[in-house]
Amino acid sequence: MAIPISQRIFVDAVTKYCLARNITVEVRSEGWLIVMQRGERRHLAFAYDVGLNSAVAHQIANDKAATAEVLQCSGVPCIPHTLFLGPKLAAYTRAPGSWETMLRLLAEHPNGLVVKPNEGTSGDGVFRVTTKRALELAVGRILAAYPSLAISPYVEIEDEVRVVLVDDLPVVVYGKERPFVIGDGRHLLLELALAAVPAGRRSTALPGLMAEIGRAELDAIVPEGERRILNWRHNLDSGARPVLLKQGETRDACIEMAIKAARAIGIRFGSIDVVRTDGAWRILEVNAGVKMEALSRSHPELAYAAYEAALDRVFA
């Protein structure tokens, strides 16, 4: 999802950091390139990357299939992701029969698959599929816009936690609470769901609800006191709410797992998504570009603190 420069807290955080420390800062390329200069030293930030990570670590972290491969080789529990190249890159692989492999994965996982761009953030272009036809449509839509895709088995995620690390230091740790409604025994799920959406977003929310839940379930009355999740995804851009984790066993377990993942890939500054499935914690994804627009709407001080901690390492 493209975010205007006026809304990118990354640009604001870097600019404020530099101005407070007599570092010359120049914002270029509509905010995607930031040039910082202190004395003879010049440093660049691009997109959401402050420049702490090596090029190889950055590339691996932004490649979902490569991340899963590295984590598996390193003994770090993770959700497996299988890479499939689009037509333009197919000539560079020796593995024939991609469609047959996809169908085999679908047959092996009766709960379905998650199909997504192999590179990308914010949950854009992510589909859960349970049928051959849905798989075909998802693959076609993704490969029309991206050079490759990754497929993972769909798993019931009990909890998802994001850990933002700077050199093994957890600067932000929060859970992602998916949007939900509580039934009253009188209203349809659709009525409850739309009532929970801000008035200005209701016209655009309806197609999303139809795609996520389905008409039959939306037209059913929700029993009193029953909790219904409105989105199977935990992305903040898809409506999930960040909830800061208190000190305790869950927070410690997620931090430990995130540090293992960061060390395996060589990431110094990144955000790691840790999920609990069947009672066990595993890594879902690693992001080298730390994007915190959604978090900053409720906790701007944490977003600024994370970027400040990373920039302190840059200029140490």
Side-chain angles (χ1 to χ4, degrees):
M1 179 184 297
I3 298 176
I5 181 175
S6 60
Q7 298 178 22
R8 291 187 66 223
I9 193 172
F10 178 82
V11 176
D12 191 47
V14 173
T15 301
K16 287 183 176 179
Y17 179 92
C18 292
L19 292 177
R21 292 161 178 80
N22 294 319
I23 299 171
T24 302
V25 59
E26 188 176 358
V27 179
R28 291 179 168 269
S29 299
E30 299 297 324
W32 292 100
L33 172 64
I34 303 177
V35 182
M36 295 166 274
Q37 184 102 24
R38 183 163 70 179
E40 297 297 319
R41 182 183 177 190
R42 188 177 71 161
H43 186 80
L44 305 177
F46 185 77
Y48 293 94
D49 190 347
V50 301
L52 271 182
N53 301 317
S54 71
V56 171
H58 182 95
Q59 289 277 81
I60 292 174
N62 287 341
D63 185 303
K64 296 176 178 62
T67 292
E69 293 274 6
V70 172
L71 295 179
Q72 289 171 338
C73 291
S74 304
V76 180
C78 67
I79 303 296
H81 286 69
T82 303
L83 172 68
F84 293 93
L85 301 179
K88 292 182 179 180
L89 298 177
Y92 299 97
T93 179
R94 292 180 297 174
S98 292
W99 180 239
E100 288 75 12
T101 303
M102 293 180 189
L103 291 178
R104 186 171 68 250
L105 287 172
L106 185 62
E108 291 172 353
H109 299 284
N111 289 331
L113 303 172
V114 176
V115 189
K116 63 184 78 169
N118 190 45
E119 298 181 26
T121 59
S122 306
D124 292 334
V126 178
F127 303 92
R128 180 189 175 188
V129 302
T130 56
T131 66
K132 178 179 176 181
R133 177 58 178 162
L135 175 62
E136 185 177 16
L137 290 172
V139 169
R141 289 181 63 178
I142 293 173
L143 292 183
Y146 298 90
S148 61
L149 60 83
I151 294 180
S152 61
Y154 172 79
V155 294
E156 290 287 347
I157 294 177
E158 299 152 19
D159 295 289
E160 182 170 330
V161 173
R162 172 159 289 188
V163 181
V164 180
L165 294 174
V166 179
D167 285 337
D168 292 353
L169 174 68
V171 290
V172 183
V173 184
Y174 63 87
K176 301 178 183 181
E177 184 182 82
R178 290 175 292 177
F180 66 92
V181 295
I182 302 295
D184 59 7
R186 295 181 294 110
H187 290 90
L188 305 178
L189 176 58
L190 176 60
E191 294 171 323
L192 295 172
L194 290 178
V197 175
R201 292 180 50 201
R202 287 173 188 167
S203 61
T204 57
L206 183 57
L209 288 170
M210 294 287 290
E212 292 288 340
I213 300 174
R215 188 78 214 194
E217 189 173 351
L218 286 171
D219 286 340
I221 292 176
V222 183
E224 185 174 0
E226 188 169 302
R227 186 173 184 263
R228 293 286 180 86
I229 300 293
L230 299 180
N231 197 319
W232 64 271
R233 294 180 292 176
H234 286 74
N235 302 82
L236 299 189
D237 289 330
S238 298
R241 183 174 69 95
V243 179
L244 301 183
L245 260 64
K246 298 179 180 179
Q247 297 290 338
E249 184 179 338
T250 294
R251 189 176 188 274
D252 292 342
C254 292
I255 291 172
E256 181 182 359
M257 184 72 70
I259 290 174
K260 288 180 180 178
R263 288 178 177 176
I265 295 173
I267 286 291
R268 296 185 61 192
F269 180 42
S271 59
I272 295 92
D273 290 333
V274 190
V275 296
R276 179 159 55 187
T277 62
D278 294 326
W281 290 104
R282 293 195 279 175
I283 301 297
L284 176 63
E285 291 183 6
V286 176
N287 301 284
V290 180
K291 178 182 176 183
M292 289 190 283
E293 263 72 29
L295 176 67
S296 69
R297 288 194 283 270
S298 54
H299 299 287
E301 74 286 354
L302 294 180
Y304 283 111
Y307 291 130
E308 181 177 331
L311 289 167
D312 278 344
R313 298 298 197 281
V314 169
F315 289 101

